[in-house]
Amino acid sequence: MKKAYLPYLLVLATSVLGSGASAQPYPLEGDDRRFAELANGGRYPEAYALAESAPERFAHWYAHLLFNAVPPKGTYSPGEATVRAAEHACRYREANLEAAAYCYNTLALILRWKDQDPRIAQALPGAKLPELSPSELDQGLQALAEKGISYAVYLRNRAKAEVLERLVRERPYSLGGQLAAGFLANRLWERGDRGSEMARYALLAPGVSSLAGGVLAWAEYFGQGVKRNREAACPRAAFWTTRSSSGAALLVLGLCYWEGAAGFPKDPIEAYGILWYGQRFSNAPDFGTYLAQLEKALTPEQQGEGRRRAANRFP
């Protein structure tokens, strides 16, 4: 990180985190790149080991892997993964301002859902989390965004393509830059603009962003913008569908079962359930097209079985 960044980090630590905070110049650009390259290469054990070697520097990355229940460390249930990610990010929020942004955002999710999702409520007892109100979390996140903290910039500007594009262009290996790349790839996919630009964004962050991973799986499945590789596409889609609601990943996984691709069992009932579930999270017309074809081939009882399987598979 350039020396010019140090003053605003220290000022921000005092103004947002309190006068007792001692923010360090974390994360460093080189550290972000090292971690992102490991994660995007699917080398998660090495990524975790790197994060554990310098917890303050990599706190935001470690929290992100926990949030997405990425093995070998992140083997939590969905509710527990959210709480443990918040706990880890908040532990280092005074030293790492990307972690502070992750802390504030994940705490806000917990406060919003703890009375509606029993999985989160069950994971909260014993968790060491700061007591902050929704307004304090919102103000803290906004302050971090105004100071250029990448994850906060991403969260606050998902409706502004030009801001996300600049984040990807100027800070591609930051957590915010990686997630922005996935968001932009997915937006192009949803709109039907599935050319080289979509694939370029997806290739930047397939192991960090579930959206990038899902879009890359689609591109690999159909050979659009990348070499066709269903043996990579189907496992990639399966990996991310258990961790997110990526429409592209759900579409590909459904097709893997429908066509029996890459060693997946040929199972039109399973395919129907996955595609039925996937259309809840995506406006892409592909779901309706494939579901219409399956509905002609399956009985109402088989369709109901597919829906039941999807409800059990994606609780």
Side-chain angles (χ1 to χ4, degrees):
M1 177 174 287
K2 296 179 181 178
K3 292 182 179 179
Y5 282 31
L6 297 179
Y8 84 65
L9 284 169
L10 296 173
V11 170
L12 183 60
T14 300
S15 63
V16 176
L17 304 174
S19 59
S22 56
Q24 301 297 318
Y26 303 140
L28 304 177
E29 184 177 348
D31 289 338
D32 272 344
R33 180 166 186 163
R34 288 165 63 200
F35 194 98
E37 288 180 343
L38 288 173
N40 287 320
R43 297 159 64 186
Y44 293 118
E46 294 175 65
Y48 273 115
L50 178 61
E52 290 173 334
S53 72
E56 290 182 339
R57 293 191 179 194
F58 297 100
H60 54 306
W61 289 111
Y62 197 93
H64 183 67
L65 294 188
L66 292 182
F67 184 87
N68 285 284
V70 172
K73 302 289 184 178
T75 55
Y76 302 111
S77 63
E80 192 174 9
T82 302
V83 173
R84 296 296 162 251
E87 193 173 34
H88 188 85
C90 293
R91 183 180 304 132
Y92 296 102
R93 71 189 189 278
E94 294 187 359
N96 180 326
L97 299 183
E98 293 283 1
Y102 213 94
C103 167
Y104 295 158
N105 183 64
T106 312
L107 278 179
L109 293 176
I110 290 171
L111 292 178
R112 187 180 309 145
W113 290 104
K114 66 183 180 67
D115 295 328
Q116 303 176 47
D117 190 336
R119 298 174 298 179
I120 291 179
Q122 291 167 6
L124 282 171
K128 297 179 180 179
L129 297 170
E131 295 184 6
L132 297 169
S133 68
S135 62
E136 289 173 323
L137 295 172
D138 185 72
Q139 292 168 12
L141 197 59
Q142 180 61 31
L144 292 168
E146 291 173 358
K147 294 298 183 179
I149 303 306
S150 78
Y151 186 59
V153 171
Y154 163 72
L155 292 170
R156 292 296 192 175
N157 293 279
R158 281 178 287 191
K160 299 178 181 178
E162 68 279 4
V163 176
L164 298 185
E165 290 165 358
R166 184 167 63 250
L167 190 58
V168 173
R169 184 171 61 253
E170 296 178 357
R171 301 179 63 190
Y173 297 105
S174 67
L175 178 57
Q178 290 276 291
L179 297 179
F183 189 90
L184 291 168
N186 188 69
R187 180 156 63 180
L188 290 170
W189 183 81
E190 290 277 355
R191 292 177 177 178
D193 187 358
R194 300 173 178 181
S196 59
E197 189 73 354
M198 178 206 73
R200 182 180 71 83
Y201 281 127
L203 284 165
L204 286 173
V208 171
S209 164
S210 61
L211 296 178
V215 170
L216 182 57
W218 182 92
E220 291 171 327
Y221 196 86
F222 290 99
Q224 295 292 312
V226 299
K227 185 178 179 180
R228 186 176 180 179
N229 185 351
R230 293 187 172 182
E231 285 66 31
C234 291
R236 191 187 305 281
F239 179 86
W240 284 119
T241 53
T242 62
R243 294 169 171 81
S244 74
S245 54
S246 164
L250 286 161
L251 180 71
V252 170
L253 185 62
L255 295 178
C256 293
Y257 279 104
W258 189 0
E259 300 180 352
F264 280 62
K266 192 170 185 177
D267 189 339
I269 295 175
E270 188 77 9
Y272 176 84
I274 294 169
L275 294 171
W276 169 82
Y277 177 82
Q279 70 176 349
R280 299 165 57 189
F281 301 99
S282 173
N283 294 320
D286 311 57
F287 288 96
T289 300
Y290 290 123
L291 283 170
Q293 295 178 47
L294 279 168
E295 285 168 355
K296 293 178 181 179
L298 300 176
T299 66
E301 291 74 20
Q302 289 173 319
Q303 294 173 35
E305 172 62 17
R307 290 191 291 269
R308 284 190 290 273
R309 289 190 197 178
N312 292 328
R313 184 178 188 132
F314 307 108

